[in-house]
Amino acid sequence: MWTRESGGLGLTFPLAGINNQNFLMRDDQTGSYWQQITGEAVSGPLRGRRLTLIASNELSFALWAAEEPDGTVLKSVPKFASDYEKKDWEVKMKKTRTVLSFADPARGLEPRSLLLGVQAFGASRAYPYDAVLHDKLILDRVGAEPVLLVVGPDEESVRVFRARIPGIEGHPAFYRTLDDHQAHPHDAGWLKQATTAPLLMDETTGSQWNFQGCAVSGKASGLCLEPVEAIKDYWFDWRNYNPKTTVFTLRH
């Protein structure tokens, strides 16, 4: 998600075309072309400028609604309803050929393998989505910084945080405390309670943390971990724009 402003100029972006199956947008104000995944103007008067990233999460609707009960939802436009993709569009897309490949069978990566891409701290790292859902909590490094990836109480949504507690030296280890056997991700009442309930505990302070990355008890109570932006993407697309990316593998 990007701002629509560059240099004080408000921009509007109709879809202009596809480049390696990535949207190209042409702003109405200057005629510059912008790349969807990078937010960069790749041609035109504003070439080289980048839009400002807006932090966002890709969550299940049930979890988002539980966290934001007063939130609003973008309504579909009835006259364009037939143009919208069906709910199972990812099933169809998985079978669609790609212009680029970067297949890596040794690591189980096909062009359309889904992953979470993290570009932070001067490095890029890819996390196969199935591996994240399987492990539920991953402690890792991106560049020189410790990070943690945690699956939410709905067992579908994922957030990434910098694994450093503000004001505490070093980087603590975290472990998951939610009992998945008691989880009922389709029970709205249970999920609403679970969004603020402890999900993790750190070994340094013994504090308990929720899915928003905030400590709800213990020495660190009231402190929050720094969110790290992550994008859900296909391997071929992520690898194309992050040629030096590394790939996480489970260590079981």
Side-chain angles (χ1 to χ4, degrees), residues 36-117:
Q36 171 196 8
I37 191 172
T38 63
E40 181 181 2
V42 294
S43 70
L46 301 184
R47 181 178 179 179
R49 290 196 188 182
R50 284 181 179 267
L51 301 174
T52 301
L53 186 70
I54 297 177
S56 61
N57 295 140
E58 186 168 330
L59 308 175
S60 67
F61 178 75
L63 179 60
W64 176 83
E67 288 189 347
E68 302 289 343
D70 296 323
T72 58
V73 178
L74 181 65
K75 188 176 182 179
S76 58
V77 181
K79 70 177 182 179
F80 296 125
S82 61
D83 295 327
Y84 296 151
E85 291 288 352
K86 302 297 187 292
K87 291 182 179 180
D88 64 346
W89 72 274
E90 284 190 347
V91 176
K92 182 179 74 172
M93 288 303 296
K94 195 170 184 178
K95 300 176 182 179
T96 304
R97 293 184 63 183
T98 60
V99 178
L100 304 172
S101 177
F102 304 113
D104 190 343
R107 291 189 286 190
L109 291 171
E110 298 298 330
R112 288 196 181 275
S113 294
L114 277 176
L115 56 86
L116 284 176

Side-chain angles (χ1 to χ4, degrees), residues 14 17 34 44 56 60 65 104 107 113 138 150 174 194 231 235-236 252:
W34 303 76
S56 61
S60 67
D104 190 343
R107 291 189 286 190
S113 294
I138 291 176
V150 58
F174 288 80
I231 181 174
W235 167 246
F236 83 90
H252 291 320

